[in-house]
Every structure is written in C-alpha cells, then in structure tokens.
Amino acid sequence: MAEVLIVDDEESILVPLEFLFRKAGHRVELARTGEEALSRLAERPYALVVLDLMLPGVDGFQVLEALKARTPAPKVLVLTARGREADRAKALALGADAFLAKPFGVQDLMAEARRLLEEG
C-alpha cells in the first residue's frame, strides 16, 4: 500500500482515479490546484504523485519542479491533455518519471503506476 496524491482540477478525472487507486489498495489524497498540491506535499511524503499540467494558479510544471527538489522526491506520473511533444519533453526534463496523455487507458495508467511504485 502506497501514499498517492492525485492532482487534477477536473472532478471527472479525480473521482475515477481515486476509486482505481483505492481499489488497488493505496491510500489516496486529492488536490484540485497547484497550491493545494504544494500544501499537501509540505504535510507528508507521497510515494507517487499523479499530476495534471493544466492547473489553475500554480501550474503542473511548477509543481513538478517543487516535487523533484524534495528529498526524497516522489515518483511523478504526469497525466495531461497537453500531449504535445514539447510538453512531454519539458515534463521529462523537469524530472517526471512517466507521461500519459488524456484520454488514457485505465490499464495503461495502472501499469505505469505499478511500475513506478515497484521502482520505489
């Protein structure tokens, strides 16, 4: 069982992801803004952060930079509608461990999450 933080401003994404990760046995917390994500990260460590890039206020790239500056840094799976090659390259350069574009397959998402958590 791992601590997972899901960061997305769309309820239609948050609710199903929360269900999937809880069903897989993980402890899940949600954040709807970049500021809320940074606040939650200051409170406790997470093994995995599922991160959208398009967030109100502090965007996902800024959250990613802050995440990767932490010691130890959590694994970060970027899950975003910004599927352009430039966005992918920037996210990976900033330290994202995986990148999936929306729409995504549930099995692909959970396989990536499992792989990242196993890498620890």
Side-chain angles (χ1 to χ4, degrees):
M1 185 180 320
E3 295 276 344
V4 177
L5 176 63
I6 302 170
V7 185
D8 202 301
D9 61 334
E10 295 179 45
E11 287 295 314
S12 63
I13 297 289
L14 282 175
V15 173
L17 289 184
E18 179 182 22
F19 174 79
L20 286 170
F21 279 92
R22 286 188 193 280
K23 185 177 175 187
H26 303 294
R27 290 182 299 274
V28 179
E29 294 211 14
L30 305 176
R32 290 164 178 81
T33 66
E35 290 89 351
E36 187 179 356
L38 294 174
S39 176
R40 292 205 182 277
L41 290 160
E43 295 170 3
R44 69 166 10 121
Y46 294 90
L48 176 66
V49 177
V50 179
L51 178 64
D52 186 17
L53 295 178
M54 296 188 312
L55 299 169
V58 175
D59 72 19
F61 289 119
Q62 293 168 300
V63 173
L64 178 56
E65 284 183 294
L67 284 170
K68 289 305 180 170
R70 297 177 61 88
T71 305
K75 295 293 184 175
V76 178
L77 191 164
V78 171
L79 183 64
T80 184
R82 292 180 65 158
R84 296 178 309 156
E85 186 177 346
D87 293 320
R88 179 184 178 88
K90 182 176 180 180
L92 294 173
L94 289 173
D97 299 288
F99 187 101
L100 290 175
K102 296 176 186 175
F104 58 91
V106 170
Q107 291 179 345
D108 291 339
L109 170 70
M110 296 311 289
E112 276 298 301
R114 210 171 15 262
R115 178 185 68 80
L116 293 174
L117 289 168
E118 287 171 1
E119 285 179 3

